[in-house]
Amino acid sequence: MQILLIRHGESEADLLNVHEGRADFELTAMGRRQVSGLVQKVKNDFPPDFIWASTLKRARETAETLAQAIGCPVAYEEELMEFNNGIQAGMSFEEAKNHPKPQFLHDRFENGESFIEFRMRIETIFSKIVTENKYERIAIVAHGGVINSILRAFFQMPMNMDYYFKIGDTGISMIELTDNEKVIHFINDTNHLESI
């Protein structure tokens, strides 16, 4: 089974210079152009048979646009939402400096979740998607933090490793699970943005 991991396009939070996370911002005009390039790339090169997507607006619109162009079903899953950064969601970067960041992996953001809870949430939904899958190629349309957590799980990286996979707007990654091995085809392909 091949799994496309797709990040949403640019959102309004990028222009407002605020923390996003669980804040539910829509795509910008640029974000929609990015999604258009993404759609052409995926449709031509590796169209999925089924799409799973986060319920947050920026990922939902990205997934809907892709699903309509390809003509495949899409299912929305709340567990694929971005990291719950609590009170920092939608807060300016300046204002957020007045609120302490968690010191340890088990500490929560105020009204949010801990990094351990986030990783476990994503590993759980990823496991469910993989084990219930009946398609040859699926796509998961979500967020940078979600994709990072999936890749860390795929690589069986320990919780305390501080590696970060840079995933750009509409970045595409492809991994594959077979009976015998795990294959990484590519991570963070954004070539479809060159003409935008």
Side-chain angles (χ1 to χ4, degrees):
M1 161 189 35
Q2 291 183 339
I3 304 167
L4 294 170
L5 304 173
I6 299 172
R7 186 175 177 227
H8 58 79
E10 179 189 75
S11 78
E12 293 169 349
D14 298 319
L15 303 183
L16 296 171
N17 290 317
V18 297
H19 284 280
E20 198 155 33
R22 281 295 176 88
D24 203 5
F25 289 97
E26 295 190 9
L27 294 175
T28 63
M30 172 59 82
R32 290 186 178 98
R33 288 195 297 276
Q34 291 170 338
V35 170
S36 179
L38 161 79
V39 165
Q40 290 309 309
K41 171 82 171 171
V42 173
K43 184 177 179 181
N44 292 336
D45 295 351
F46 25 73
D49 304 306
F50 192 88
I51 299 171
W52 290 87
S54 162
T55 55
L56 293 174
K57 291 174 187 173
R58 56 199 186 266
R60 176 184 278 275
E61 184 178 345
T62 301
E64 282 173 359
T65 306
L66 181 59
Q68 287 171 5
I70 293 170
C72 76
V74 58
Y76 299 98
E77 175 55 66
E78 287 188 357
E79 296 299 303
L80 287 172
M81 286 196 287
E82 183 60 291
F83 176 69
N84 186 352
N85 54 347
I87 62 166
Q88 285 196 349
M91 186 180 286
S92 72
F93 294 125
E94 243 346 274
E95 186 183 352
K97 292 176 183 175
N98 299 321
H99 298 273
K101 283 185 179 177
Q103 273 191 296
F104 304 103
L105 292 172
H106 62 272
D107 290 340
R108 290 183 176 142
F109 277 78
E110 187 177 339
N111 299 330
E113 66 187 338
S114 72
F115 291 112
I116 290 175
E117 289 169 325
F118 177 52
R119 171 89 176 251
M120 291 303 100
R121 171 166 61 85
I122 299 307
E123 287 202 30
T124 301
I125 188 59
F126 183 61
S127 176
K128 178 185 173 196
I129 288 170
V130 167
T131 55
E132 293 179 2
N133 176 60
K134 57 184 184 239
Y135 302 99
E136 290 195 25
R137 183 185 296 133
I138 63 170
I140 297 175
V141 179
H143 312 273
V146 171
I147 293 169
N148 262 271
S149 289
I150 290 172
L151 289 172
R152 288 172 179 166
F154 186 79
F155 286 114
Q156 297 180 335
M157 296 168 75
M159 182 73 66
N160 61 351
M161 287 187 78
D162 58 359
Y163 294 107
Y164 184 77
F165 297 96
K166 178 80 172 148
I167 308 294
D169 292 335
T170 64
I172 309 165
S173 303
M174 185 190 285
I175 58 178
E176 185 172 3
L177 296 168
T178 70
D179 291 337
N180 303 319
E181 61 186 356
K182 295 178 178 179
V183 179
I184 298 97
H185 289 274
F186 53 85
I187 294 177
N188 193 36
D189 179 359
T190 55
N191 290 334
H192 54 277
L193 300 179
E194 288 176 2
S195 61
I196 295 176

